[in-house]
Amino acid sequence: MIVKPFKREAYLPLPVTFVSTLSRDGIRNIAPYSCIMPVLRPLDLICLASALKRDTLENILATREFVVNLAGVNLADQVIPTARYSPPEADEFLLAGLVEKPSVQIKAPGIQGCYAWMECRLHREYVEPQFVLIVGQVVHLEVADAVYLPDGSLDLEQARPLMMTGSNQGMQYCTAVGLGRFEPFGAMFPDGKDPLAEKYQD
């Protein structure tokens, strides 16, 4: 089956995250974002793509900070309420019935009920005619104890990360499932040693 190139998200499962920000006047804003990714291992950078006219983008550029809230399937009902248009003066925590989680390093709050929180400061923005790429530096990463495994990995069964694939009509929600298979990073290198191994030591 050959399909139109712009339908790539139908076949590339994406995370559903909630980005929370404060406006210059301190109004709380939330928006779901799936076009988001880490920038290489083991950098502390994360990149998200935004349309040009978004309150979230305006808030990030104004305050230079934001929180990427990693949600489980328990928050699927909050995707549409936070995605709908609301005036800039509206408090989207109240509109969506969500409770804020105070941040540690920045003023923008996180969202209670998520399984992890990335507090970010704006590192750089790349402006294109139809979109903006926001690169944020993660200054505080917090993970709920219930989903943190001793080897530093995510307990997928407990977290049940909220994900989606696209379709011709909309979004199909899904989650990630572990295969019970492990490969060390060192397996990619001829000598079997991961050159970044020391950075992962607590």
Side-chain angles (χ1 to χ4, degrees):
M1 179 65 68
I2 306 299
V3 298
K4 296 177 180 178
F6 76 87
K7 293 184 178 181
R8 73 271 183 248
E9 77 276 4
Y11 312 102
L12 177 65
L14 299 172
V16 179
T17 71
F18 292 89
V19 176
S20 51
T21 58
L22 289 176
S23 72
R24 195 187 302 271
D25 297 325
I27 305 299
R28 301 181 300 179
N29 180 270
I30 304 170
Y33 275 80
S34 284
C35 296
I36 189 165
M37 57 171 260
V39 181
L40 297 180
R41 185 180 73 96
L43 301 181
D44 56 1
L45 301 176
I46 191 165
C47 179
L48 64 89
S50 174
L52 297 176
K53 293 185 178 181
R54 291 289 185 272
D55 291 339
T56 296
L57 175 62
E58 183 176 331
N59 292 348
I60 291 173
L61 296 179
T63 66
R64 304 187 68 81
E65 61 180 41
F66 58 98
V67 182
V68 177
N69 301 271
L70 303 184
V73 298
N74 58 302
L75 291 178
D77 288 343
Q78 272 64 48
V79 174
I80 297 304
T82 56
R84 289 193 187 110
Y85 170 79
S86 59
E89 64 273 15
D91 185 328
E92 294 199 42
F93 275 82
L94 295 178
L95 291 179
L98 292 169
V99 178
E100 76 168 51
K101 176 187 178 297
S103 292
V104 175
Q105 295 291 333
I106 63 176
K107 292 181 179 178
I111 300 171
Q112 287 189 21
C114 293
Y115 67 82
W117 304 265
M118 300 181 190
E119 298 176 21
C120 302
R121 290 199 176 99
L122 178 62
H123 176 73
R124 186 170 298 174
E125 70 268 17
Y126 297 89
V127 181
E128 294 287 340
Q130 294 180 304
F131 62 91
V132 178
L133 292 181
I134 290 293
V135 179
Q137 180 183 17
V138 180
V139 296
H140 182 77
L141 173 60
E142 189 171 337
V143 182
D145 292 346
V147 303
Y148 184 86
L149 294 175
D151 66 353
S153 65
L154 177 66
D155 187 331
L156 288 170
E157 291 186 5
Q158 288 292 325
R160 300 187 69 203
L162 182 58
M163 303 179 71
M164 61 82 69
T165 58
S167 70
N168 292 342
Q169 289 78 36
M171 297 175 289
Q172 303 281 354
Y173 295 125
C174 58
T175 191
V177 177
L179 300 180
R181 177 173 176 171
F182 170 80
E183 295 283 1
F185 290 124
M188 296 183 283
F189 300 94
D191 61 1
K193 296 180 180 179
D194 177 11
L196 302 175
E198 289 186 4
K199 290 184 175 289
Y200 286 84
Q201 301 303 315
D202 293 331

